[in-house]
Amino acid sequence: EAGVVQSPRYKIIEKKQPVAFWCNPISGHNTLYWYRQNLGQGPELLIRYENEEAVDDSQLPKDRFSAERLKGVDSTLKIQPAELGDSAVYLCASSSPYELTGPSSGANVLTFGAGSRLTVL
Amino acid sequence: QKEVEQNSGPLSVPEGAIASLNCTYSDRGSQSFFWYRQYSGKSPELIMSIYSNGDKEDGRFTAQLNKASQYVSLLIRDSQPSDSATYLCAMRFSGGYNKLIFGAGTRLAVHP
């Protein structure tokens, strides 16, 4: 079974330029997450999708960040314009529906993709 | 107060010893806890999950949960150099279904 696929793996851009990241979750995983991980820190949730609906985007900097998940499968995360402080690893993760498995089930644990490392110069 | 707190380390242990990693959390309603291992330059991978008070063992790994003290730990027995990584503690936020909140991670170094 293919895991969570992300691209590009690495991206170097100059500040004020736009950048986009793409994620393909595990087949059947309705829940998709975008996390940002700064060096030496744990992943920080940016946005969570249940199917095509963004159900938690409270930590997404909406002035420059946008995300979409058309058709409830693949997702893209865009930054425009990028700032120096956006340099980080952008992690996509997916899980099976919480509602079907409950809080004590291991079936809805998150599986991460390899990440997209962004460097803004 | 951070929602999930971990000592950043590094925690240095000799090969063959027991490594003990600790985590405290603030959300009393949380029921689900996870330990992820992250090698340098790689993405986090799940190694343990625990939902009930007490111990849960899986091979060389033992997760311990004490909900009254809001404390989760991970023990690694017979530590190997290949265990050297950052260990991330995570909890499922009680108010947000599938929202997983991570600590900053503890870096473990196992030396021969």
Side-chain angles (χ1 to χ4, degrees):
Chain A
E1 175 186 273
V4 178
V5 180
Q6 290 188 247
S7 68
R9 288 294 315 277
Y10 305 92
K11 190 74 175 180
I12 301 174
I13 61 172
E14 294 190 345
K15 62 181 181 182
K16 300 185 181 180
Q17 294 300 305
V19 64
F21 306 110
W22 174 82
C23 173
N24 179 248
I26 292 173
S27 178
H29 279 192
N30 294 9
T31 308
L32 184 147
Y33 313 74
W34 283 103
Y35 281 85
R36 175 172 60 189
Q37 187 173 26
N38 292 307
L39 190 64
Q41 299 296 313
E44 173 194 17
L45 180 67
L46 293 175
I47 190 168
R48 174 171 62 90
Y49 283 94
E50 296 290 344
N51 298 303
E52 64 274 12
E53 182 183 0
V55 296
D56 185 355
D57 63 355
S58 58
Q59 292 183 268
L60 188 73
K62 297 181 182 62
D63 57 336
R64 298 183 299 107
F65 286 65
S66 64
E68 61 181 10
R69 192 184 184 197
L70 300 176
K71 301 181 181 179
V73 181
D74 295 0
S75 177
T76 57
L77 176 69
K78 298 178 181 178
I79 308 174
Q80 181 172 10
E83 297 180 351
L84 295 176
D86 296 331
S87 295
V89 176
Y90 291 84
L91 294 163
C92 180
S94 69
S95 69
S96 55
Y98 174 91
E99 297 78 33
L100 298 181
T101 54
S104 298
S105 169
N108 56 355
V109 296
L110 272 66
T111 301
F112 285 90
S116 295
R117 181 178 296 275
L118 173 66
T119 301
V120 182
L121 303 176
Chain B
Q1 180 191 7
K2 292 184 180 178
E3 292 168 302
V4 180
E5 297 213 43
Q6 297 181 254
N7 187 319
S8 62
L11 174 65
S12 183
V13 300
E15 184 174 357
I18 296 176
S20 177
L21 304 162
N22 305 314
C23 172
T24 59
Y25 61 92
S26 60
D27 179 11
R28 286 193 169 274
S30 184
Q31 300 181 52
S32 310
F33 304 89
F34 308 88
W35 283 99
Y36 281 78
R37 178 177 61 199
Q38 187 172 28
Y39 292 113
S40 181
K42 303 294 185 182
S43 60
E45 58 176 331
L46 180 72
I47 54 171
M48 288 287 286
S49 59
I50 188 165
Y51 310 101
S52 305
N53 278 327
D55 295 358
K56 178 182 178 182
E57 185 175 321
D58 184 0
R60 296 187 296 112
F61 298 97
T62 299
Q64 299 174 317
L65 174 61
N66 184 325
K67 292 184 179 180
S69 300
Q70 296 174 248
Y71 178 92
V72 190
S73 66
L74 179 70
L75 301 178
I76 306 175
R77 290 182 300 281
D78 188 23
S79 295
Q80 302 297 309
S82 59
D83 294 326
S84 298
T86 295
Y87 289 80
L88 298 164
C89 173
M91 74 170 187
R92 176 165 284 116
F93 183 56
S94 62
Y97 295 101
N98 265 339
K99 182 173 182 175
L100 213 60
I101 299 173
F102 287 84
T106 297
R107 190 156 58 91
L108 173 66
V110 182
H111 52 86

